[in-house]
Amino acid sequence: MERKKIWWMIKKDLLTLWRHKVQFVSLILFPILMIALCGWGMGGTVENTPVVIVKQTSGYITDQAINAIKEDKTFEVKDILSDPDEAKKMVDKGEVKSAIILSSDFEKDGSRNAILYIDSSDQMTTQMVVPTTQRIFASLSEQIEINKIASANRNTNQLTSMKQAIKLQINKIYGEIEYIDFLLPGVLAMTMFMSSMLGLGDSIAGERERGELARLFMTPTSISSVLTGKIISQVVKEMIRAIILILSAMLIFNVVLNGSLALLILVMLISVLCFVGFAMMISATAKTQEDYIQIVMPLAIPMMFICGVFFPKETMPWLLQKISYILPLTYAEDAFRAVMLQGAGLSSIAMDLVVLLMFTALFFIVGVVRFNRDI
Amino acid sequence: MKYAIETNDLVKVYDNNFKAVDNLNLFVENKTIGGILGPNGAGKTTTIKMLTCLIPKTSGEAKVAGFDITKEPDEVRNRIGMVPQMVSLYKDLTVRENVELCADFYNVDQSTKDKKIDDLLELVDIKYAQDKYVKQLSGGMQQKTSVVASLVHSPDILFLDEPTVGLDPTTKRVLWDLMVDLNEEGRTIILCSHDMYEVDKICDNINIIDSGKVVANDTPQGLKDQLLSNIEENNKQIRESIFKLEQEGIDENKEQINGLKSSLTDESEKVTVLVSNINEDMLNSLENLDVVQEVTTLGNTRLNISLKRSETSVNEVISTILKNGGNIASIKTNDPTLEDVFVAITAKSRRRINDGT
């Protein structure tokens, strides 16, 4: 008997989704939109920064410097001027992000000067442009010195070995991981979390507000049957959303999936259960959807930032790092990153999954106990 | 089982210490149509929520269909149906899907389910719309669907909370007839409504609730008679007081006497007679009758007459009109309405609360 009721709850929610075209389209488009925004808008790589070069002298070194700047993807050289003041005005007006000024003594040995005039209000561009410019000029300086020594008939092999006195070997153990690869697991966890919150809000608080739940609770039916049906239908919806999100990321941005797909689906399932449980616990006592949103938002929004969705947790202050350990999103996001980026196996993420399951059990128990049948 | 609903000192105190229901003693006889009236905030909805096992009571006892609402809630739920004011059906499901969902939630026998649903849809005349989504239906059709969903498990008791709000007069009448038919089939109907005409028309018995207590309980006519006798009793006391004050000295007590006189309630019986051939003799004869206080004419065919209440006063008026050559087309006495009763009782109840008695 109870199975039939649970099935009705699932059927009702899925039929409503199918017949409510806006909801259905949103289910499909939302994950694609999320990944497109994150991939293109927050990809983390600064390229084609508009710059202007000021050339106050001519010569071989000046040409070398200009070519090096032009060839670097970070820059898009808008113009080459001779007047430094004009170049600075362009930066001040926001026409370009920086001006690279090669001074009039740039061709003279011992007094070569270059000035980087940069709009530091754009912190992300500054962080990228300054080291790139430093790298270009360091490389150029090194080449000038090597050329000088070589022209003095010294052993160039010795010079090369001097240059490589310390060899740095970079070994990227998980391959070429870009920011979008780092971002995807976090975005996946965050999308599942937010849509579980909002979806169950309508499903429980909304139905309570519209009196639909009251009709069900006036029948000889246990609270747990109704909630189980609601949770299963929400889990189905969130799994569809998550799979669309992963496929979009793979197809649009060639995102890497180093781990097992089956394990990833298991992590998704447990995470969704946990998030839906959390939403159910909150909606247990919310009389209206507005009440529910007022409770959920102050909890959900900080969670997205504390749990390391956009930046590694380790870069956050000590207190926030500690708080993140009592939030389920942290463990979901850890497990996703481990499977997707590091190719971790079940044993490596077992602790994350156990913690998520413990949170899930806690949320369900508290939710069912606190849930009341009141209209 | 004498009572379908039986509460003894039922109390509900909410978490904010608001006492919504205060030692309520409510009785509705089995297989009758019982009305529950009360001003907004009187405790009606809280009472219904407790009786339908949606919220727990704080103290006291309540039985519905003979079962305790706290100890045997599922027995209660199996025997009640509820038609709420706000149509609480799933708008994206069809009429039939909504009813089937309710049938399965009430554990209706699968072998008889389809036939039962068909019969009920035919009963309220919406079978033709069974495959339409609820959101496509008019308010009246949605309410009919709600009734079907509430009856699908053949409950002994049907609660209706403001079922006809916002419906057109024809649909209202269809629902009233349905309530009466269901009652005749042996079901108890509990009707919560602010529509006094509706309650007066179909209820066998009325409980008026105010401030969480039953402040009046009788048949609709009984309540109206009570109001008249209360007015007479009240006027009698006022007249005695006026008489005493006049004995003590009219001039000294003039202000008090005038105040008391203005508090007298008009207890005369108002009669409207539709009559042809109104003439001077007829009017004079009517005015000379002891039972007549005032006669006014409205147009050439209508007489409005104020009478002293007595068993024979209307007879005397009819005889006088006929004797003077009048032909009576209709006669209507303007007795107090249920609305008059409601206003008088709830106002009195509020005064008592304000006075602390």
Side-chain angles (χ1 to χ4, degrees):
Chain A
M1 288 295 186
E2 293 303 296
R3 242 184 303 162
K4 191 146 204 154
K5 295 174 187 179
I6 292 170
W7 169 237
W8 254 118
M9 293 318 300
I10 302 166
K11 184 179 162 186
K12 191 275 303 171
D13 278 350
L14 296 181
L15 276 176
T16 302
L17 175 70
W18 175 245
R19 290 169 184 173
H20 220 279
K21 295 302 174 204
V22 176
Q23 278 181 26
F24 185 72
V25 171
S26 161
L27 179 82
I28 309 285
L29 285 186
F30 180 65
I32 299 173
L33 193 69
M34 279 300 289
I35 203 64
L37 280 174
C38 291
W40 284 314
M42 302 169 67
T45 315
V46 175
E47 287 183 350
N48 300 322
T49 309
V51 295
V52 62
I53 298 174
V54 179
K55 182 184 170 190
Q56 293 183 301
T57 182
S58 296
Y60 175 73
I61 302 296
T62 307
D63 291 344
Q64 288 284 95
I66 291 172
N67 287 339
I69 294 165
K70 279 183 173 174
E71 280 166 15
D72 199 294
K73 279 184 180 176
T74 309
F75 302 110
E76 185 190 350
V77 179
K78 289 285 180 191
D79 208 349
I80 298 175
L81 306 172
S82 56
D83 181 5
D85 290 336
E86 195 183 338
K88 284 177 183 175
K89 270 183 196 165
M90 284 178 77
V91 177
D92 293 341
K93 283 182 190 170
E95 291 169 14
V96 290
K97 287 288 175 189
S98 65
I100 301 171
I101 303 167
L102 308 176
S103 62
S104 53
D105 50 9
F106 198 70
E107 288 293 332
K108 286 182 192 163
D109 254 356
S111 59
R112 300 181 208 275
N113 277 316
I115 300 162
L116 177 67
Y117 188 79
I118 187 161
D119 172 9
S120 59
S121 66
D122 185 342
Q123 185 262 353
M124 200 159 172
T125 306
T126 307
Q127 272 190 347
M128 194 69 193
V129 166
V130 170
T132 306
T133 316
Q134 281 171 333
R135 180 176 48 76
I136 288 172
F137 283 106
S139 169
L140 200 58
S141 302
E142 190 182 88
Q143 195 56 50
I144 292 167
E145 289 308 310
I146 288 173
N147 290 346
K148 267 195 321 195
I149 295 167
S151 63
N153 294 322
R154 296 279 291 271
N155 185 344
T156 50
N157 286 339
Q158 198 183 343
L159 284 172
T160 308
S161 67
M162 274 169 65
K163 187 183 158 193
Q164 295 174 348
I166 299 172
K167 283 185 185 168
L168 173 65
Q169 190 178 350
I170 297 170
N171 194 354
K172 294 186 176 177
I173 57 173
Y174 301 119
E176 276 303 324
I177 302 286
E178 298 197 6
Y179 185 60
I180 180 71
D181 299 307
F182 168 82
L183 205 57
L184 178 68
V187 171
L188 181 63
M190 182 190 75
T191 307
M192 289 166 79
F193 178 69
M194 287 305 286
S195 51
S196 299
M197 292 286 114
L198 298 175
L200 210 71
D202 176 65
S203 186
I204 293 184
E207 284 192 21
R208 191 195 288 274
E209 190 176 359
R210 294 188 292 272
E212 293 156 354
L213 271 190
R215 185 180 283 280
L216 302 184
F217 286 137
M218 270 189 268
T219 66
T221 302
S222 66
I223 288 173
S224 54
S225 294
V226 174
L227 293 184
T228 304
K230 294 225 151 279
I231 286 161
I232 293 174
S233 64
Q234 194 63 32
V235 167
V236 170
K237 283 192 257 183
E238 293 316 319
M239 290 298 283
I240 295 171
R241 208 187 305 265
I243 287 167
I244 293 174
L245 196 138
I246 290 176
L247 290 177
S248 313
M250 286 175 155
L251 293 172
I252 303 172
F253 296 105
N254 296 320
V255 160
V256 182
L257 172 59
N258 286 330
S260 139
L261 186 64
L263 189 58
L264 179 65
I265 289 173
L266 179 71
V267 176
M268 278 160 50
L269 192 65
I270 293 174
S271 302
V272 166
L273 268 175
C274 184
F275 300 153
V276 169
F278 182 64
M280 191 266 285
M281 182 181 73
I282 293 173
S283 66
T285 49
K287 280 198 177 293
T288 64
Q289 236 174 312
E290 198 181 335
D291 286 355
Y292 175 80
I293 295 290
Q294 296 297 329
I295 303 169
V296 156
M297 282 306 164
L299 292 172
I301 301 289
M303 226 186 268
M304 289 191 324
F305 292 96
I306 294 172
C307 298
V309 171
F310 301 110
F311 308 102
K313 287 187 295 296
E314 293 70 22
T315 60
M316 282 187 294
W318 176 85
L319 182 63
L320 293 184
Q321 284 188 42
K322 296 298 167 199
I323 291 173
S324 75
Y325 290 117
I326 56 166
L327 303 173
L329 188 57
T330 303
Y331 299 93
E333 181 260 324
D334 272 353
F336 279 126
R337 285 217 165 103
V339 174
M340 294 175 73
L341 302 183
Q342 299 165 6
L346 183 60
S347 57
S348 309
I349 57 165
M351 188 49 75
D352 286 323
L353 297 187
V354 168
V355 174
L356 281 172
L357 285 171
M358 283 165 63
F359 269 121
T360 309
L362 176 74
F363 295 151
F364 276 53
I365 292 166
V366 174
V368 171
V369 169
R370 294 188 63 199
F371 207 95
N372 61 51
R373 287 174 177 254
D374 191 6
I375 298 169
Chain B
M1 184 179 64
K2 188 180 178 191
Y3 296 112
I5 307 284
E6 192 179 349
T7 76
N8 290 297
D9 295 328
L10 187 65
V11 174
K12 177 67 190 179
V13 182
Y14 284 108
D15 292 343
N16 58 2
N17 285 329
F18 173 67
K19 198 182 227 181
V21 174
D22 183 8
N23 292 300
L24 183 83
N25 293 298
L26 175 76
F27 299 90
V28 178
E29 277 188 36
N30 200 21
K31 299 181 182 178
T32 60
I33 303 182
I36 298 181
L37 296 181
N40 295 329
K44 298 188 302 290
T45 305
T46 303
T47 303
I48 298 289
K49 280 185 185 179
M50 283 192 283
L51 296 178
T52 53
C53 305
L54 276 177
I55 56 171
K57 68 183 186 192
T58 303
S59 64
E61 281 181 7
K63 283 186 176 178
V64 176
F67 295 97
D68 189 288
I69 58 166
T70 308
K71 292 174 191 156
E72 301 153 298
D74 277 351
E75 296 294 341
V76 172
R77 289 182 188 120
N78 271 322
R79 285 164 179 80
I80 61 168
M82 171 82 181
V83 181
Q85 179 190 346
M86 188 172 68
V87 176
S88 53
L89 300 162
Y90 288 111
K91 307 277 188 295
D92 289 299
L93 296 191
T94 65
V95 168
R96 193 169 186 99
E97 284 167 348
N98 266 291
V99 180
E100 280 179 351
L101 181 148
C102 283
D104 286 338
F105 269 74
Y106 278 114
N107 307 318
V108 173
D109 187 357
Q110 295 299 305
S111 60
T112 57
K113 184 175 86 176
D114 283 344
K115 171 141 191 354
K116 209 171 230 176
I117 292 173
D118 286 339
D119 291 348
L120 285 168
L121 291 173
E122 268 165 21
L123 178 74
V124 298
D125 193 26
I126 52 165
K127 190 156 186 230
Y128 67 94
Q130 62 174 341
D131 294 325
K132 281 193 171 177
Y133 297 137
V134 168
K135 64 185 174 191
Q136 297 173 316
L137 304 180
S138 66
M141 285 176 77
Q142 288 189 7
Q143 198 58 293
K144 282 179 180 178
T145 309
S146 183
V147 171
V148 173
S150 309
L151 288 173
V152 72
H153 58 301
S154 309
D156 297 331
I157 302 169
L158 184 65
F159 288 86
L160 297 108
D161 187 10
E162 307 265 1
T164 57
V165 167
L167 300 185
D168 65 76
T170 313
T171 313
K172 270 187 186 181
R173 278 161 202 269
V174 170
L175 283 177
W176 294 341
D177 290 345
L178 181 66
M179 283 184 239
V180 173
D181 289 347
L182 291 169
N183 174 243
E184 282 169 1
E185 281 175 14
R187 291 193 174 91
T188 306
I189 308 289
I190 311 290
L191 174 64
C192 276
S193 179
H194 284 302
D195 185 335
M196 300 294 156
Y197 178 73
E198 174 176 277
V199 174
D200 196 0
K201 191 174 163 65
I202 69 168
C203 289
D204 300 315
N205 196 284
I206 294 169
N207 281 280
I208 298 180
I209 295 179
D210 198 8
S211 305
K213 290 176 191 281
V214 173
V215 290
N217 169 32
D218 209 330
T219 61
Q221 192 53 50
L223 286 170
K224 290 177 212 167
D225 292 345
Q226 264 184 44
L227 177 64
L228 282 174
S229 71
N230 287 346
I231 290 171
E232 282 169 15
E233 180 60 31
N234 194 33
N235 280 352
K236 192 178 157 194
Q237 284 175 8
I238 292 170
R239 285 196 191 96
E240 280 171 8
S241 302
I242 291 170
F243 180 73
K244 268 188 198 167
L245 288 167
E246 284 174 345
Q247 294 292 311
E248 287 166 13
I250 295 173
D251 289 339
E252 296 92 316
N253 298 313
K254 197 176 172 184
E255 213 169 294
Q256 224 178 330
I257 290 167
N258 286 341
L260 282 170
K261 279 182 178 171
S262 66
S263 66
L264 282 166
T265 309
D266 182 8
E267 57 188 300
S268 63
E269 188 171 8
K270 304 276 191 274
V271 178
T272 303
V273 189
L274 203 61
V275 57
S276 61
N277 197 23
I278 296 173
N279 53 59
E280 277 300 312
D281 290 342
M282 186 193 290
L283 294 174
N284 288 334
S285 303
L286 284 169
E287 276 169 359
N288 289 333
L289 288 174
D290 285 343
V291 294
V292 172
Q293 293 174 328
E294 192 184 9
V295 181
T296 55
T297 55
L298 195 70
N300 295 325
T301 56
R302 190 179 291 261
L303 289 172
N304 288 333
I305 306 168
S306 288
L307 295 173
K308 285 179 191 164
R309 284 187 185 276
S310 79
E311 286 181 0
T312 60
S313 50
V314 175
N315 281 347
E316 286 182 46
V317 166
I318 294 170
S319 307
T320 306
I321 293 171
L322 294 175
K323 262 187 219 165
N324 287 282
N327 291 317
I328 298 172
S330 73
I331 183 159
K332 187 182 158 200
T333 57
N334 298 328
D335 275 334
T337 61
L338 197 56
E339 191 166 306
D340 297 327
V341 174
F342 179 82
V343 170
I345 287 176
T346 53
K348 191 173 165 188
S349 161
R350 292 286 150 110
R351 275 201 302 275
R352 274 191 197 145
I353 292 163
N354 292 338
D355 296 346
T357 56

